Amino acid sequence: MGQKLIIVVATTILLFTGLLLGYVLSQLVLGYLALNLLTFLGTFSLILIFGTLYYVLFWELRRQQSRSSQRVTKISANQRIVDSRLRNKLIAKLDGDATTAERLIEQAKLDNPGMPESWYWERVIADVERELGDRK
C-alpha cells in the first residue's frame, strides 16, 4: 500500500507541477511575464521539482518491476528443481527408462489437460508405485 501511495502522490504532484511549469513558460515566451530573478528562480525550481519527481516515480516503478521479476525467477527456479527431482524419481522407479517416463507423462497430459507440470509427474509416480506395489 505504501508504494502505491508514493506513486499516486508523485504522479499527482508531477502533473500539477508540469501544468504550472507549462503555464509559466508559456507566459514567459508570450511576453506576459517579465524575466527577472523571481521568475527565473520560480521556473528553475519548477523544473527541478518536475525532474526530481519524474526520476523518483520511474525509479519506484522500476523497483517494483524488478521485485516482481525476481519473485517470478525464484518461483520458476524452484519449479525447475522440483521438476528435476520428480523426473529423476520417476526414472529411478522405472529402472532408468527415460523413454517410458516421457511416454507416461505425455499420456497423463492427454488424459488430464491443463494441470501444472509437477502434478503430472507426481501422478505418474503414484501410478507407477501403485502398479509396482500390486505386482509384489
Side-chain angles (χ1 to χ4, degrees):
M1 178 65 188
Q3 293 170 342
K4 288 184 180 182
L5 182 64
I6 289 172
I7 291 172
V8 168
V9 169
T11 303
T12 304
I13 295 172
L14 191 63
L15 288 172
F16 178 74
T17 307
L19 288 172
L20 193 57
L21 180 60
Y23 176 76
V24 169
L25 289 176
S26 69
Q27 295 304 306
L28 281 169
V29 168
L30 291 174
Y32 298 128
L33 193 59
L35 183 60
N36 56 30
L37 183 62
L38 184 63
T39 56
F40 174 76
L41 290 177
T43 306
F44 183 73
S45 66
L46 285 174
I47 292 170
L48 194 63
I49 291 168
F50 188 82
T52 303
L53 284 173
Y54 188 82
Y55 176 78
V56 167
L57 181 64
F58 285 100
W59 174 75
E60 184 66 32
L61 288 173
R62 194 172 351 136
R63 201 170 110 203
Q64 280 185 350
Q65 288 174 345
S66 171
R67 283 183 186 161
S68 65
S69 68
Q70 285 174 351
R71 268 188 247 122
V72 169
T73 303
K74 188 181 282 187
I75 289 169
S76 65
N78 289 343
Q79 188 64 34
R80 281 195 300 268
I81 291 168
V82 169
D83 290 345
S84 174
R85 184 181 56 80
L86 291 172
R87 177 176 164 65
N88 291 340
K89 185 176 180 180
L90 178 59
I91 291 172
K93 297 250 183 238
L94 295 171
D95 297 323
D97 191 355
T99 306
T100 302
E102 292 295 330
R103 185 178 50 77
L104 290 171
I105 293 298
E106 291 304 316
Q107 186 60 46
K109 287 180 180 180
L110 290 173
D111 293 343
N112 305 288
M115 300 303 286
E117 185 69 22
S118 61
W119 184 90
Y120 296 115
W121 289 93
E122 291 169 359
R123 173 72 184 260
V124 171
I125 289 169
D127 290 346
V128 168
E129 286 174 343
R130 187 172 47 252
E131 190 174 311
L132 290 174
D134 290 345
R135 288 184 187 173
K136 292 183 181 181

